[in-house]
């Protein structure tokens, strides 16, 4: 910058203010000199443009810089004023991304007006609900094939607010919604983005925020009354800090009536859990110095409904299921300290499910002690000892208020310390299907054919195929085989019309005959259910084919084979 010229111009201006206007101080004279300090070579560029185009860009550039200065100054003053208002006249609440409330708030926001007005959104794929699943008949082709891809493509994504600041109104209060990205952690498998939410409202009172959060929680609970949330420990590469749970899925709650179990045992279990979860129970336990915990052991052969009963209990009492696997090894293995943190981070009321506890090698015999004393080459494979599990279940610092459910196929292999009273308060024995259970399974599979239900006409019969002739006819309560057996093609299987609806009396007769043909305590409920699901629209055919299936299944089991001829 030429300070000598600037000083000379100032002196001339002060001595003769009415002199030639070109010698006065103005933006045109100052801009080349001032801008030269900020933009090297500006004088040369401005003279070149002036000579070639006859246009002086000094005023334009100077005006632009002044506008930039005004805008920057305005932003600075606005940020200063906003910060003062935020510190003095606004209340705010922060929700961490690992909290369940984070999911509820995003779901609430996604279904309200904010996502319709905001211009910064995140699209998230979502699964269909059971109600939407029932409206998929239009995607069944003429051949009876259901095209899942076309049907799933019709489900629109859910739109969530993107990272940044948004606003919305609720109960005539203005709320400012900020989604903030905390950090991005790089793992060997993926980049993990961690977010948090900050919600603000005008005023020094936090009551509007508390009322809104309470509203969101109630809204989420009412929406999820028919869903059960299943959680597992967060993956090791995402455990920061360790001891957190992650939502795996949400499934429609299973009715307790669909679990095949002795009615007396089922009623006794439900009454005990209900008494334990009663609001007055914690005080009762505390006044008597009894730890507020409850444990159950479900034992029996595979496929008898142990895990299903746990799932049904969660749906009945509105609890989440926290599933822990003690058999994992390597990078997925849970250490004893992590198991303690997981139990301490449980919600007030929940179901903790330890499946197949007998396969975890938790015993205190000589061989187990020897294996624990050996130091493995990989520390991640050390797993959890029996003492570590016992400390997590009912140690001095262990969590209270949870319902612990352990399942096993071989209760005789469990250590006595694990199933002593106080850790396991009630044992439920599951057996292979009795006659009553076989009758109940058959009735439940085919009960939809009873209640004035019209036969499904969406799958039309092709080629003159007679379903009644192919599946057999019912005469005097007995099934007679078809006189002309026919090998159907693949599309004849798809387009075979279901059998006509049954009356309650007919269904009861078929169920009784089915139960008579199935040997008692020979098949698991899962095996009977698998056989009937294939024939869920043809109960008469199921009764006709059960004899062959039974004989083939027993023969394969006795031979030690795993291949069934009759499915």
């Amino acid at each position: 910058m030429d300070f000598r010229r600037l000083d000379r111009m100032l002196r001339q201006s002060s001595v003769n203010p009415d002199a030639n206007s070109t010698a006065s101080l103005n933006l045109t004279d100052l801009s080349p000199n001032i801008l030269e300090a900020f933009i090297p070579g500006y004088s040369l560029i401005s003279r070149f443009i002036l000579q070639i185009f006859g246009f002086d860009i000094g005023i334009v550039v100077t005006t632009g810089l002044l506008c930039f200065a005004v805008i920057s100054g305005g932003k600075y003053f606005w940020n200063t004023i906003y910060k003062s208002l935020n510190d003095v006249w606004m209340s705010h609440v922060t929700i961490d991304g690992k909290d369940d409330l984070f999911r509820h708030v995003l779901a609430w926001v996604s279904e309200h007006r904010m996502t319709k007005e905001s211009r910064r959104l995140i699209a998230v794929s979502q699964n269909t609900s059971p109600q939407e699943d029932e409206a998929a008949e239009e995607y069944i082709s003429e051949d009876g094939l259901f095209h899942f891809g076309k049907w799933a493509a019709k489900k629109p994504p859910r739109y969530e607010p993107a990272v940044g600041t948004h606003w919305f109104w609720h109960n005539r209060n203005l709320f400012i919604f900020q989604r903030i990205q905390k950090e991005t952690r790089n793992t060997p498998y993926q980049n993990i983005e961690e977010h948090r939410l900050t919600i603000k409202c005008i005023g020094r009172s936090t009551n509007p925020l508390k009322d809104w959060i309470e509203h969101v929680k109630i809204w989420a609970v009412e929406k999820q009354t028919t869903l059960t949330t299943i959680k597992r420990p967060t993956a090791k590469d995402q455990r920061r800090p360790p001891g957190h749970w992650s939502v795996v899925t949400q499934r429609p709650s299973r009715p307790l009536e669909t679990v095949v179990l002795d009615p007396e045992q089922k009623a006794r279990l439900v009454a005990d859990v209900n008494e334990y979860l009663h609001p007055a129970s914690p005080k009762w336990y505390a006044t008597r110095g009894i730890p507020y915990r409850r444990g159950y052991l479900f034992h029996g052969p595979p496929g008898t409904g142990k895990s299903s009963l746990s799932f049904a209990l969660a749906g009945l009492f509105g609890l989440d299921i926290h599933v822990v696997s003690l058999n994992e090894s390597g990078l997925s293995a849970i250490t004893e300290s992590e198991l303690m943190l997981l139990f301490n981070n449980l919600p007030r009321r929940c179901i903790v499910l330890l499946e197949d506890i007998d396969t975890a090698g938790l015993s205190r015999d000589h061989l187990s002690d020897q294996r624990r004393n050996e130091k493995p080459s990989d520390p991640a494979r050390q797993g959890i000892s029996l003492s570590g599990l016992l400390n997590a279940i009912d140690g001095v610092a262990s969590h209270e208020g949870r319902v612990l459910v352990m399942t096993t196929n071989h209760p005789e292999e469990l250590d006595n310390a694990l199933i002593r009273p106080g850790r396991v308060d009630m044992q439920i024995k599951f057996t292979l299907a009795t006659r009553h259970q076989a009758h109940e399974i058959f009735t439940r599979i085919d009960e939809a054919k009873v209640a004035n239900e019209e036969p499904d006409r969406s799958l039309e019969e092709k080629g003159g195929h007679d379903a009644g002739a192919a599946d057999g006819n019912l005469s005097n309560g007995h099934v007679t085989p078809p006189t002309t057996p026919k090998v159907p093609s693949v599309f004849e299987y798809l387009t075979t019309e279901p059998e006509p609806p049954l009356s309650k009396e007919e269904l009861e007769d078929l169920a009784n005959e089915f139960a008579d043909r199935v040997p008692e305590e020979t098949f698991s409920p899962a095996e009977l259910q698998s056989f009937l699901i294939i024939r869920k629209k043809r109960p008469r055919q199921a009764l006709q084919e059960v004899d062959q299936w039974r004989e083939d299944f027993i023969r394969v089991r006795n031979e030690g084979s795993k291949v069934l001829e009759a499915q």
Side-chain angles (χ1 to χ4, degrees):
M1 183 181 296
D2 193 351
F3 289 99
R4 289 179 297 177
R5 184 184 175 190
L6 180 61
D7 181 66
R8 187 168 59 252
M9 293 172 61
L10 291 174
R11 290 177 183 275
Q12 292 177 358
S13 177
S14 61
V15 173
N16 188 11
D18 297 330
N20 190 3
S21 60
T22 57
S24 62
L25 183 64
N26 52 54
L27 292 176
T28 305
D29 292 331
L30 286 177
S31 60
N33 302 295
I34 297 176
L35 292 175
E36 187 71 29
F38 299 98
I39 308 176
Y42 172 78
S43 299
L44 180 62
I45 297 174
S46 62
R47 285 197 303 268
F48 175 78
I49 295 177
L50 181 61
Q51 291 177 2
I52 300 299
F53 299 101
F55 176 72
D56 187 5
I57 64 172
I59 296 179
V60 177
V61 175
T62 305
T63 304
L65 289 176
L66 289 176
C67 293
F68 175 77
V70 171
I71 293 174
S72 300
K75 288 184 177 180
Y76 172 78
F77 285 113
W78 166 251
N79 291 335
T80 303
I81 294 173
Y82 180 78
K83 185 177 183 304
S84 301
L85 291 175
N86 184 48
D87 295 339
V88 180
W89 294 105
M90 296 186 72
S91 303
H92 70 275
V93 61
T94 301
I95 303 174
D96 189 79
K98 297 177 180 177
D99 195 281
D100 290 341
L101 191 58
F102 183 90
R103 295 184 298 105
H104 299 332
V105 169
L106 285 184
W108 184 91
V109 167
S110 300
E111 295 193 8
H112 288 75
R113 193 173 181 179
M114 182 194 302
T115 54
K116 298 179 177 63
E117 297 179 350
S118 178
R119 293 180 296 140
R120 301 185 308 277
L121 300 173
I122 297 177
V124 181
S125 300
Q126 56 180 343
N127 298 324
T128 56
S129 63
Q131 293 77 14
E132 294 169 326
D133 292 348
E134 297 175 357
E137 294 293 335
E138 58 181 297
Y139 297 99
I140 299 178
S141 66
E142 295 180 356
D143 296 328
L145 292 173
F146 172 67
H147 197 289
F148 177 81
K150 294 180 180 179
W151 171 67
K154 296 294 184 180
K155 179 65 177 179
R158 186 182 73 184
Y159 294 98
E160 300 176 353
V163 175
T165 302
H166 312 263
W167 60 272
F168 64 93
W169 292 88
H170 179 72
N171 289 344
R172 294 180 294 182
N173 290 316
L174 177 64
F175 291 86
I176 300 174
F177 180 96
Q178 289 182 320
R179 185 171 185 173
I180 304 170
Q181 181 175 334
K182 295 194 298 184
E183 60 181 325
T184 300
R185 293 191 289 109
N186 298 325
T187 67
Y189 307 101
Q190 61 180 336
N191 295 331
I192 303 172
E193 295 183 354
E194 296 184 354
H195 292 184
R196 72 169 183 267
L197 301 178
T198 299
I199 299 93
K200 305 177 182 179
C201 70
I202 299 175
R204 298 177 62 87
S205 174
T206 58
N207 289 332
L209 290 170
K210 295 177 180 179
D211 294 340
W212 174 75
I213 291 177
E214 189 68 23
H215 168 76
V216 171
K217 291 183 64 177
I218 295 175
W219 173 86
V221 170
E222 291 177 349
K223 187 177 181 180
Q224 296 181 1
T225 50
T226 59
L227 296 176
T228 299
T229 301
I230 301 176
K231 298 182 179 181
R232 285 187 177 273
T234 305
K236 180 161 289 188
D237 58 348
Q238 301 179 19
R239 296 172 193 168
R240 186 178 174 185
H244 282 278
W245 299 87
S246 296
V247 176
V248 177
T249 185
Q250 289 181 321
R251 299 177 182 174
S253 299
R254 178 166 181 168
L256 190 65
E257 296 77 14
T258 62
V259 179
V260 180
L261 184 65
D262 177 64
E264 183 179 351
Q265 285 197 96
K266 190 188 301 184
R268 200 159 50 90
L269 174 64
V270 171
D272 189 78
V273 176
N274 184 66
E275 180 66 23
Y276 171 74
L277 296 176
H278 193 277
S281 295
K283 183 178 179 181
W284 187 92
Y285 277 79
T287 55
R288 289 158 179 81
I290 303 174
Y292 184 53
R293 308 184 190 98
R294 205 70 178 159
Y296 303 91
L297 178 66
F298 297 168
H299 60 90
T304 51
K306 300 182 290 295
S307 299
S308 299
L309 180 57
S310 305
F311 188 75
L313 286 175
L316 180 65
F317 294 102
L319 302 174
D320 294 343
I321 297 182
H322 293 67
V323 183
V324 180
S325 177
L326 302 179
N327 302 321
E328 295 178 348
S329 60
L331 294 177
S332 301
I334 300 175
T335 63
E336 294 183 3
S337 59
E338 289 175 342
L339 182 65
M340 183 66 70
L341 289 174
L342 286 170
F343 270 75
N344 290 337
N345 288 334
L346 291 170
R348 288 184 57 198
R349 302 290 184 272
C350 66
I351 291 180
V352 180
L353 179 60
L354 300 179
E355 291 187 297
D356 298 327
I357 194 70
D358 57 291
T359 62
L362 300 173
S363 61
R364 293 191 294 191
D365 56 17
H366 175 70
L367 294 178
S368 296
D369 291 339
Q370 183 178 358
R371 286 195 299 267
R372 279 197 301 274
N373 292 331
E374 296 177 353
K375 293 184 178 180
S377 57
D378 185 4
R381 296 183 178 271
Q382 291 181 0
I384 298 173
S385 64
L386 177 61
S387 59
L389 177 61
L390 297 181
N391 287 331
I393 291 177
D394 64 350
V396 176
S398 60
H399 181 80
E400 293 190 350
R402 86 290 183 275
V403 176
L404 177 65
V405 176
M406 295 184 289
T407 67
T408 178
N409 299 333
H410 306 284
E412 66 279 358
E413 297 182 4
L414 299 179
D415 193 281
N416 291 332
L418 183 62
I419 59 175
R420 69 163 176 79
R423 293 188 178 122
V424 171
D425 303 287
M426 181 181 293
Q427 297 186 13
I428 303 297
K429 182 180 180 181
F430 290 75
T431 62
L432 297 175
T434 62
R435 186 187 185 284
H436 170 77
Q437 291 173 335
H439 178 280
E440 185 178 349
I441 293 173
F442 188 94
T443 304
R444 188 179 74 247
I445 294 295
D446 296 300
E447 64 184 354
K449 307 292 294 183
V450 176
N452 296 327
E453 181 182 328
E454 293 295 331
D456 188 0
R457 301 295 181 183
S458 61
L459 307 179
E460 295 295 335
E461 180 182 3
K462 283 185 174 269
H465 178 72
D466 188 356
D471 296 335
N473 298 317
L474 183 68
S475 176
N476 298 326
H478 298 281
V479 174
T480 58
T483 56
T484 57
K486 178 183 178 181
V487 180
S489 67
V490 59
F491 288 106
E492 286 179 332
Y493 269 117
L494 292 172
T495 57
T496 298
E497 185 176 349
E499 295 178 1
L502 301 171
S503 65
K504 292 184 178 180
E505 293 76 12
E506 290 176 327
L507 179 62
E508 186 68 21
D509 292 340
L510 290 179
N512 286 327
E513 187 166 354
F514 178 81
D516 291 337
R517 297 188 181 187
V518 175
E520 195 163 8
E521 295 191 4
T522 303
F523 303 99
S524 68
E527 293 167 345
L528 296 180
Q529 183 173 277
S530 177
F531 169 79
L532 292 172
I533 285 179
I534 301 177
R535 303 158 180 83
K536 62 182 179 181
K537 295 183 179 180
R538 299 182 295 275
R540 298 181 180 89
Q541 180 182 348
L543 190 59
Q544 173 190 345
E545 298 177 353
V546 66
D547 292 332
Q548 180 183 356
W549 173 83
R550 179 195 63 215
E551 299 301 329
D552 186 43
F553 204 103
I554 295 176
R555 177 183 58 80
V556 168
R557 180 184 295 175
N558 294 334
E559 294 176 354
S561 177
K562 298 181 180 180
V563 179
L564 281 175
E565 296 179 2
Q567 298 291 330

